[in-house]
Amino acid sequence: MHRFAPNAPRAALLVPLLALLAALVVAPAGATDAPPVVKSGVTGCKRIALTFDLCPVRAPNGFDAKLVELLVATRTPATFFASGRWMAKHDDRVAELLAVPFFELGTHGAAHAHLRKLDVAGQEQEIASGVKQLADAHGRTPVLFRPPYGEYDATTERVAASLGQTVVLWSAVSGDPVPSLSAAHMLATLKPQLRDGAIVVMHANGKGVHTRELVEKLLPAIAAAGLTPVTVGELLKPCPDATPS
Ligand SMILES: [Zn+2]
């Protein structure tokens, strides 16, 4: 253990004082008001979250029912981020997703706008209206928000926090909206990213033509990596102490 020389008592007092001042400067009051933007979850219990965005699509049937059937049949927990425009067109689908106990629904903006181009009021409208829509139509209070295009700024963080929303990005990109990417190619890209606490982004709005096929291949790869799929909400909680029964 290092001790200061007896002839330098002032230095011994000064060091902890400077450390205290530095801590106060680094963490000014109010800096912890907004929760951090989430890109991955809690590590230590080998969990991973599969997420599916429901961005607006022009096609009236913009819902990958076969993908959702696969997730249900395999009892795979998943988190969906639904945009307001998508929910307005697919009220019955929203109800379907909400009825599955191991699914979780967050929001994805009202009009899928570029948030950084909006002022505070505009961002509030974009984030809050999706949340209100889900509450009004389905009596649910979502707490997770995925910014469209993954674009956000300090205003987004403040507005989301004031609305009780955690901003959720991702750590692993599937690339599934690109039709030319095969499921095998996407799997090869994702495999090294299947890590403890990872959040994978995919799409369930029918834009990902190979998404279902990808998930078919992904589930065994996740199991082989020793990981268990959970919702984002679960992934953000501390590891359970006891082994699940
Ligand atoms: Zn989107």
Side-chain angles (χ1 to χ4, degrees):
M1 295 259 283
H2 177 78
R3 296 183 77 97
F4 286 100
N7 61 353
R10 278 187 191 168
L13 282 172
L14 202 58
V15 169
L17 189 63
L18 286 174
L20 179 66
L21 284 172
L24 288 172
V25 170
V26 169
T32 54
D33 284 358
V37 171
V38 167
K39 293 179 179 170
S40 57
V42 172
T43 57
C45 40
K46 307 281 273 175
R47 299 175 298 184
I48 189 168
L50 302 183
T51 69
F52 299 91
D53 290 357
L54 291 159
C55 322
V57 277
R58 287 196 192 90
N61 187 26
F63 181 67
D64 194 339
K66 287 205 163 6
L67 164 70
V68 174
E69 281 166 22
L70 171 67
L71 294 169
V72 170
T74 52
R75 300 192 65 79
T76 304
T79 302
F80 297 84
F81 291 98
S83 64
R85 275 195 189 158
W86 187 91
M87 286 193 279
K89 274 189 184 175
H90 298 90
D91 200 47
D92 49 344
R93 296 303 198 181
V94 174
E96 267 180 53
L97 295 174
L98 289 172
V100 179
F102 44 89
F103 284 174
E104 174 181 50
L105 199 56
T107 60
H108 190 44
H112 208 269
H114 292 274
L115 289 174
R116 287 195 297 241
K117 292 184 179 166
L118 302 177
D119 61 9
V120 180
Q123 291 211 27
E124 257 168 12
Q125 149 72 15
E126 177 71 6
I127 300 170
S129 69
V131 174
K132 187 175 183 304
Q133 215 172 326
L134 204 48
D136 289 351
H138 299 277
R140 298 295 187 97
T141 309
V143 294
L144 303 177
F145 168 71
R146 172 163 285 162
Y149 313 100
E151 294 175 2
Y152 68 97
D153 58 16
T155 302
T156 317
E157 293 182 59
R158 277 199 305 276
V159 169
S162 73
L163 295 167
Q165 303 299 305
T166 299
V167 178
V168 180
L169 296 183
W170 52 79
S171 64
V173 180
S174 67
D176 68 340
V178 181
S180 59
L181 290 181
S182 70
H185 179 95
M186 288 189 281
L187 180 70
T189 308
L190 280 177
K191 261 189 178 171
Q193 303 178 70
L194 301 179
R195 297 193 197 103
D196 191 9
I199 298 177
V200 184
V201 59
M202 291 174 277
H203 293 78
N205 58 351
K207 265 191 138 180
V209 289
H210 302 295
T211 309
R212 181 184 181 276
E213 198 188 338
L214 169 64
V215 171
E216 262 178 354
K217 296 174 190 298
L218 198 55
L219 293 179
I222 286 171
L227 299 167
T228 305
V230 294
T231 59
V232 171
E234 281 300 311
L235 193 73
L236 299 181
K237 291 180 190 166
C239 294
D241 293 332
T243 312
S245 54

